[in-house]
């Protein structure tokens, strides 16, 4: 597949595999440039970004110049932009000093639908909306019409909006079976508000646009997976039962025993507080010095060994920052491994809310290696951890000084990729790739090659449209289309603020969703004492135990899907339209295909006993819990607790396995 540029009469067109992807003419120019004047404010990972570009110039006239094309504002004006083609890429470069803003209009087909953008929380179909690409906190509430969002906006810009995400990516696919990837880590915007064009705004004067086409959507998704890198197959332990998240120090082990006694299938115990806690007004947070806290977890090595003998792994927590009152901060400071202030040689400290941290400078190869070996390798893997949450990565400030001299505005989006590389390098150094598992919420283009598992971040503990349980479906489906095979979420949600707490209804339904995710993991949230937990009542515990059994029984099927992901790049959780390419399904984001053979329609509304379910295709679907066959179409399906709407293909090779779930209650 190669990109070609055709010119004539001041016009240009770009083609990939015979398909026109870009068109520019004097009456409809596709390019404009300007000089940027960015304003960036960061408050604890929340960003307010604006720009007042100067000398915006529309480039309406194109002419051939050897193998390149030059664009100018007028037929007799000096060229201001240069285009050249290489394989499937279009290289774009401004020619005048100071011009570091570029707008490019790509061809859009009538009625075209658009997906991608990384891990989007609110909308799977991006059509008609604008999506800035900048990794950040996703916000709390994420809906400007709600009181919670307004309260959080007043407290450190933290309310967010529909496009805020930990993991943005400037890659999109269309229903015309084309895809485009922006090869730049700069702040950018994917703008689909005009149905006659797809516009990309880039805050950099030199970049590539990569184009992909195919005859089917699965093959196009596979191309993108190959481009960004595929994850290894998930290990058996990660898919063979629930990972129970508890953070009550030594008391966590007694609670685990009660959960096991209730019949839960448990493959891991995740204690993020293994390194100690720090109580703040936000809630129970952790002490960011990455080594075992013996006071909180006495005899932990013995505990880990005892769990391992029972087939239960132990997991922890780490992030790429070091609290300035910790031992490892001093070690990194002495070695020169911390990012510095621009106005001095002092370390740059980031406010994380009532405590400050240094930034380990991953542009320094020695610093990355130190963190991979000294922290993750020795303190975690050698200690006996089988996995961990590799948190954060979105907070790189734009006013610090980096070891390699790079512009923080260009490095900010790249930071989660370096963080993922650090974790993957640590695991590889111990020969445990594909065995130890870390999971991340932050990401950007290229994280796929390093991070084996996504988690959907810090949802509010509710059913709200833009920040509740339903957003984890959109997150998994959107990220899956751009090369991330595996995603999961915190069972029960995480963020509890301003009186917003879990209900039993929410926790019961999230257990169901977790059972039909490749990894099922619970979380106690930021305020455990204020919220219901999986062991807070007999009824909730029974639901968690039953759903953990479902998850364990499905392990052979998930193994098949994981192996398929390695071979083809297809994600485990898939939009309906990936296999049923029909326009009415292009915006469906509240149900998904779990591989090709199973359909899951989770309950993501409060206090309901059923929901409408779309069954696509031309052949019957079998109801998982009753064994009854349903014809294709839309059906209302009763859904008592423990029986979310799930269907499978009767002709599936795994039909006999699925049938055994009828008896799990």
């Amino acid at each position: 597949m190669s990109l070609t540029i055709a010119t004539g009469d001041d016009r240009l067109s770009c083609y990939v595999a015979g398909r026109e992807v870009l068109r520019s003419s004097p009456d409809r120019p596709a390019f404009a440039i300007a000089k940027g004047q960015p304003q960036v404010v960061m408050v604890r990972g929340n960003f307010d970004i604006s720009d007042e570009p100067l000398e915006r110039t529309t480039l309406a006239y194109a002419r051939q110049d050897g193998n390149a094309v030059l664009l100018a504002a007028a037929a007799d004006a000096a060229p201001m932009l240069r285009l050249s083609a290489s394989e499937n890429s279009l290289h774009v470069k401004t020619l005048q000093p100071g011009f570091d803003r570029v707008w490019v209009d790509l061809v859009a087909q009538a009625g075209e639908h658009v997906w991608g953008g990384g891990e989007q929380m609110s909308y799977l179909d991006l059509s008609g909306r604008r999506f800035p690409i900048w990794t950040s906190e996703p916000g709390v509430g994420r809906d400007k019409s709600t009181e919670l969002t307004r309260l959080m906006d007043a407290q450190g810009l933290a309310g967010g909006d529909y496009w805020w995400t930990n993991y943005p990516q400037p890659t999109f696919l269309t229903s015309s079976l084309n895809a485009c990837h922006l090869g730049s880590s700069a702040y950018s915007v994917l703008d689909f508000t005009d149905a006659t064009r797809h516009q990309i705004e880039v805050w950099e004067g030199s970049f590539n646009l990569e184009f992909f086409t195919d005859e089917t959507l699965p093959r196009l998704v596979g191309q993108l997976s190959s481009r960004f890198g595929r994850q290894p197959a998930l290990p058996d332990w990660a898919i063979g039962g629930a990972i129970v998240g508890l953070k009550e120090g030594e008391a966590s082990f007694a609670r685990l025993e009660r959960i096991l006694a209730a019949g839960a299938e448990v493959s891991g115990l995740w204690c993020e507080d293994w390194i100690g806690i720090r109580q703040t007004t936000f809630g129970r947070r952790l002490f960011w010095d990455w080594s075992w806290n013996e006071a909180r977890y006495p005899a932990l090595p013995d505990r880990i060994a005892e769990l391992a003998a029972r087939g239960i792994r132990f997991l922890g927590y780490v992030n790429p920052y070091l609290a300035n009152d910790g031992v490892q901060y001093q070690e990194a400071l002495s070695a020169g491994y911390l990012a510095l202030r621009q106005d001095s040689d002092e370390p740059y400290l980031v406010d994380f809310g009532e405590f400050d941290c240094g930034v380990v400078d991953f542009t320094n190869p020695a610093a990355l290696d130190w963190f991979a070996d000294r922290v993750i390798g020795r303190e975690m893997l050698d200690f006996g951890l089988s996995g961990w949450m590799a948190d954060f990565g979105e907070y790189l400030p734009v006013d610090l000084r980096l070891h390699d001299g790079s512009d923080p505005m260009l490095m900010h989006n790249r930071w989660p990729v370096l963080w993922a590389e650090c974790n993957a390098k640590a695991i590889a150094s111990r020969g445990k790739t594909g065995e130890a598992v870390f999971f991340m919420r932050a990401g950007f283009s290229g994280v796929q090659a390093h991070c084996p598992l996504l988690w959907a971040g810090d949802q509010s503990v509710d059913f709200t449209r833009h920040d509740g349980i339903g957003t984890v479906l959109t997150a998994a489906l959107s990220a899956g289309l751009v090369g991330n095979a595996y995603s999961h979420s915190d069972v029960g949600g995480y963020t509890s603020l301003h009186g917003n707490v879990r209900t039993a209804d929410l926790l019961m339904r999230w257990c169901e969703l977790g059972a039909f995710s490749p990894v099922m993991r619970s979380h106690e949230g930021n305020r455990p004492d204020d919220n219901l937990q999986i062991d807070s009542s007999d009824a909730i515990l029974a639901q968690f135990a039953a759903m953990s059994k479902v998850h364990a029984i499905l392990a052979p099927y998930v193994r098949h899907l994981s192996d398929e992901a390695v071979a083809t790049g297809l994600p485990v959780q898939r939009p309906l339209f990936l296999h049923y390419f029909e326009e009415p399904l292009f915006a469906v984001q509240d149900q998904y295909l779990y591989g090709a053979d199973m359909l899951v329609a989770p309950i993501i509304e409060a206090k309901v006993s059923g929901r409408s379910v779309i069954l696509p295709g031309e052949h019957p679907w079998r109801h998982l819990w009753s064994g009854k066959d349903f014809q294709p179409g839309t059906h209302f399906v009763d859904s008592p607790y423990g029986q979310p709407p799930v269907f499978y293909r009767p002709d599936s090779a795994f039909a006999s396995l699925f049938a055994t779930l009828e008896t799990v209650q």
Side-chain angles (χ1 to χ4, degrees):
M1 183 189 308
S2 62
L3 181 141
T4 59
I5 308 176
T7 60
D9 298 325
D10 300 321
R11 303 167 181 268
L12 75 90
S13 290
C14 295
Y15 298 89
V16 177
R19 303 181 190 181
E20 189 178 32
V21 295
L22 187 153
R23 179 191 313 125
S24 185
S25 63
D27 60 328
R28 180 138 185 163
F31 293 91
I33 61 175
K35 298 177 178 179
Q37 295 189 110
Q39 298 293 324
V40 181
V41 177
M42 182 184 87
V43 181
R44 292 186 289 279
N46 305 294
F47 290 83
D48 183 7
I49 301 176
S50 60
D51 195 21
E52 295 181 1
L54 301 174
E55 301 180 41
R56 177 161 176 159
T57 305
T58 299
L59 305 179
Y61 293 84
R63 64 178 175 84
Q64 195 78 31
D65 181 46
N67 292 327
V69 175
L70 303 178
L71 288 103
D76 57 352
M80 301 185 76
L81 194 72
R82 182 180 187 272
L83 307 178
S84 58
S86 176
E87 298 182 342
N88 66 326
S89 296
L90 178 70
H91 182 63
V92 181
K93 182 176 177 59
T94 58
L95 299 177
Q96 301 298 323
F99 282 87
D100 55 3
R101 298 291 184 270
V102 181
W103 290 263
V104 184
D105 288 354
L106 302 179
V107 171
Q109 304 298 329
E112 195 168 41
H113 292 257
V114 185
W115 311 288
E119 184 186 61
Q120 292 295 327
M121 303 292 181
S122 289
Y123 298 103
L124 178 60
D125 187 348
L126 310 184
S127 308
R129 295 182 176 85
R130 184 176 182 272
F131 294 85
I133 302 298
W134 187 258
T135 179
S136 71
E137 286 281 1
V140 179
R142 307 181 70 255
D143 181 348
K144 299 303 185 187
S145 69
T146 66
E147 181 63 19
L148 178 59
T149 304
R150 288 191 287 269
L151 286 169
M152 296 306 299
D153 274 339
Q155 298 176 6
L157 311 175
D161 212 331
Y162 71 86
W163 51 267
W164 287 36
T165 174
N166 306 110
Y167 175 6
Q169 183 174 319
T171 308
F172 66 90
L173 312 82
T174 77
S175 54
S176 298
L177 298 180
N178 298 325
C180 177
H181 170 65
L182 167 63
S184 170
S185 59
Y187 179 94
S188 62
V189 180
L190 303 180
D191 187 343
F192 307 109
T193 55
D194 183 344
T196 66
R197 57 102 175 110
H198 304 318
Q199 186 177 84
I200 303 176
E201 175 184 343
V202 189
W203 288 18
E204 188 176 18
S206 179
F207 56 87
N208 290 331
L209 290 173
E210 300 176 44
F211 296 93
F212 308 82
T213 67
D214 220 312
E215 298 305 313
T216 70
L217 188 57
R219 286 171 51 180
L220 184 59
V221 170
Q223 278 196 56
L224 294 180
S225 175
S226 297
R227 163 62 180 82
F228 298 116
R230 291 184 186 168
Q231 303 81 55
L234 290 171
D236 288 339
W237 70 264
I239 64 177
I243 298 172
V244 173
L246 301 172
K247 52 179 176 180
E248 201 176 346
E250 179 69 8
S252 299
F253 296 102
R255 292 176 62 192
L256 176 64
E257 293 304 323
R258 178 170 180 250
I259 292 167
L260 289 166
E265 290 284 347
V266 176
S267 63
L269 173 62
W270 173 51
C271 296
E272 62 173 357
D273 62 334
W274 75 289
I275 34 76
I277 63 168
R278 186 193 301 266
Q279 196 67 37
T280 71
T281 56
F282 180 76
R284 185 181 301 164
R285 302 190 69 179
L286 308 174
F287 190 76
W288 294 8
D289 191 72
W290 314 115
S291 60
W292 165 40
N293 186 296
E294 189 171 3
R296 190 159 181 82
Y297 281 92
L300 184 56
D302 293 336
R303 290 285 198 177
I304 292 174
E306 292 166 4
L307 289 174
R310 300 164 68 185
I312 300 174
R313 305 295 183 110
F314 186 81
L315 295 85
Y317 174 99
V318 69
N319 71 49
Y321 309 101
L322 298 173
N324 67 345
D325 54 352
V327 173
Q328 290 167 0
Y329 173 89
Q330 293 299 327
E331 188 176 335
L333 178 64
S334 298
Y337 292 158
L338 300 176
L340 304 177
R341 296 173 56 90
Q342 290 184 346
D343 58 1
S344 75
D345 289 336
E346 293 299 311
Y348 189 107
L349 296 179
V350 180
D351 173 14
F352 279 90
E354 301 171 44
F355 62 99
D356 295 330
C357 293
V359 180
V360 179
D361 189 346
F362 292 142
T363 70
N364 180 349
L368 189 148
D369 288 346
W370 172 81
F371 201 103
D373 181 68
R374 164 70 181 85
V375 178
I376 300 176
R378 298 185 211 170
E379 301 290 351
M380 300 173 68
L381 286 163
D382 295 350
F383 187 74
L385 273 65
S386 295
W388 55 87
M389 174 183 282
D391 204 359
F392 289 98
E394 314 90 343
Y395 280 53
L396 186 73
V398 299
D399 59 345
L400 47 58
R401 179 155 47 103
L402 295 169
H403 172 82
D404 70 349
S406 57
D407 183 350
M409 282 291 293
L410 298 179
M411 189 54 68
H412 174 85
N413 277 334
R414 280 281 301 162
W415 210 249
V417 182
L418 294 179
W419 174 223
E421 182 182 350
C422 179
N423 283 267
K425 189 170 188 175
I427 290 175
S429 74
R430 268 53 177 184
K432 293 189 175 182
T433 300
E435 175 61 21
V437 174
F438 66 94
F439 43 99
M440 292 178 58
R441 67 177 192 173
F444 188 69
S445 314
V447 77
Q448 300 94 322
H450 307 292
C451 177
L453 174 65
L454 296 181
W455 110 89
D458 298 346
Q459 279 69 34
S460 287
V461 291
D462 56 33
F463 292 93
T464 53
R465 166 67 181 84
H466 292 281
D467 197 25
I469 183 174
T471 61
V472 307
L473 307 184
T474 314
L477 299 181
S478 57
L481 292 174
V482 295
N484 298 278
Y486 316 114
S487 182
H488 76 302
S489 64
D490 299 331
V491 169
Y494 175 79
T495 304
S496 174
L497 293 170
H498 297 290
N500 187 31
V501 296
R502 291 171 175 168
T503 63
D505 183 36
L506 177 78
L507 199 46
M508 301 279 267
R509 293 307 190 185
W510 220 311
C511 289
E512 296 168 355
L513 174 57
F516 294 93
S517 304
V519 172
M520 181 181 184
R521 178 185 53 82
S522 66
H523 198 317
E524 293 203 303
N526 66 310
R527 293 186 172 176
D529 298 339
D530 298 340
N531 283 269
L532 291 171
Q533 304 300 335
I534 60 171
D535 56 346
S536 290
S537 73
D538 290 344
I540 296 173
L541 182 53
Q543 169 79 336
F544 179 80
M547 291 300 99
S548 71
K549 291 176 182 176
V550 169
H551 189 267
I553 290 170
L554 285 173
Y557 180 58
V558 177
R559 166 60 52 229
H560 161 72
L561 298 182
S562 184
D563 292 342
E564 185 177 45
V566 173
T568 68
L570 293 183
V572 171
Q573 293 162 286
R574 307 170 186 176
L576 302 190
F577 58 77
L578 187 64
H579 293 299
Y580 302 92
F581 199 67
E582 304 166 9
E583 199 280 336
L585 303 178
F586 287 166
V588 174
Q589 62 184 53
D590 63 348
Q591 56 182 84
Y592 59 92
L593 295 171
Y594 201 33
D597 293 358
M598 181 171 278
L599 183 148
V600 183
I603 299 295
I604 55 174
E605 294 183 21
K607 300 178 181 179
V608 299
S609 58
R611 59 161 289 177
S612 291
V613 179
I614 299 170
L615 300 178
E618 300 177 352
H619 303 289
W621 290 84
R622 183 161 296 164
H623 185 230
L624 182 65
W625 311 109
S626 68
K628 177 183 175 183
D629 286 352
F630 286 66
Q631 294 301 311
T634 300
H635 304 267
F636 185 86
V637 180
D638 291 329
S639 309
Y641 291 134
Q643 296 186 9
V646 179
F647 293 81
Y648 64 91
R649 291 170 46 183
D651 61 347
S652 168
F654 293 89
S656 59
L657 174 71
F658 300 151
T660 65
L661 291 169
E662 290 183 37
T663 61
V664 177
Q665 295 296 328

